[in-house]
Amino acid sequence: MSETFDEATTLKRRTFVAASTAVAGLPLLTSDRLPTATAAPAPADRLSTVRLTVNGEQRTAQVDNRTSLLDLLREHLDLPGTKKGCDQGACGACTVLVDDRRVNACLTLAVMHQGARVTTIEGLARGEQLHPLQQAFIDHDGLQCGYCTPGQLMSGVACIAEGHTGSRAEIREWMSGNLCRCGAYTNIVSAIEQTAKEA
């Protein structure tokens, strides 16, 4: 009885999976078409040497021309503070400063920033001394899970430098590209407002 039930369930599951992939227009992966664990290395003509100044330090890496600035920072330069959120430019978790302008690192190619100055969350503090906005985030409890915090901080630093802190509404508008799933927006605005006043 249980064997019959298991066989029937398996057939229904297989039918469902096959039908689902057919409807979605996706190829059904059979054992001979499963993806391999390791990707093939890029051909030499698709590689570039990228030289950047990251957090005040000259850095060089050889990367596939399709490598995003985010992946260069995280995977090649061992700077995991910049977070990969949506990987589509919608959440702001990957915000860094490139030549003092905020950039979604997931949306730009590393090779496009040859010779640029990049500041990541790792370069915001000066040794043991926190950046004033980092301290304000602590003072105002502007973080909960902390995943969005690096991007929020980098965007907040730029928001202050750009002079978009005339009101809480203006701060919210200019920080609207950074999402916080925990909903710490009010505290983040307060931290930016405090830092702008003290600057």
Side-chain angles (χ1 to χ4, degrees):
M1 180 75 172
S2 62
E3 288 181 7
T4 306
F5 175 78
D6 289 344
E7 288 174 7
T9 304
T10 303
L11 287 175
K12 287 180 186 175
R13 287 182 185 152
R14 287 183 185 157
T15 305
F16 172 77
V17 170
S20 298
T21 55
V23 168
L26 301 172
L28 183 62
L29 292 177
T30 56
S31 58
D32 60 331
R33 296 176 66 188
L34 290 174
T36 57
T38 57
D45 63 343
R46 285 207 316 233
L47 295 175
S48 292
T49 300
V50 179
R51 292 178 180 83
L52 302 164
T53 301
V54 182
N55 301 327
E57 182 183 339
Q58 293 286 332
R59 302 296 298 268
T60 303
Q62 188 174 52
V63 297
D64 187 303
N65 293 332
R66 301 164 295 176
T67 302
S68 68
L69 179 59
L70 175 60
D71 286 337
L72 170 69
L73 294 169
R74 290 181 58 84
E75 308 299 331
H76 296 272
L77 301 183
D78 196 27
L79 294 168
T82 304
K83 302 304 182 202
K84 182 177 281 197
C86 66
D87 212 20
Q88 297 176 355
C91 73
C94 67
T95 304
V96 296
L97 303 181
V98 177
D99 295 328
D100 298 323
R101 293 180 61 237
R102 49 181 147 176
V103 169
N104 285 345
C106 72
L107 290 183
T108 186
L109 298 175
V111 295
M112 295 171 62
H113 300 287
Q114 191 73 254
R117 288 179 297 108
V118 178
T119 305
T120 71
I121 190 66
E122 290 91 346
L124 206 52
R126 293 290 172 258
E128 296 297 314
Q129 182 180 357
L130 295 177
H131 185 281
L133 186 56
Q134 289 175 306
Q135 186 60 56
F137 263 61
I138 294 169
D139 296 343
H140 290 276
D141 196 20
L143 60 153
Q144 288 185 35
C145 80
Y147 196 83
C148 76
T149 304
Q152 295 276 6
L153 282 164
M154 300 312 295
S155 196
V157 167
C159 183
I160 294 167
E162 294 160 4
H164 297 301
T165 57
S167 68
R168 291 179 69 85
E170 185 179 15
I171 293 170
R172 282 194 296 271
E173 175 66 27
W174 286 91
M175 290 294 294
S176 61
N178 291 77
L179 302 181
C180 172
R181 287 181 177 270
C182 301
Y185 294 114
T186 300
N187 299 347
I188 290 169
V189 170
S190 295
I192 295 169
E193 190 175 44
Q194 172 191 307
T195 307
K197 286 177 181 173
E198 294 174 352

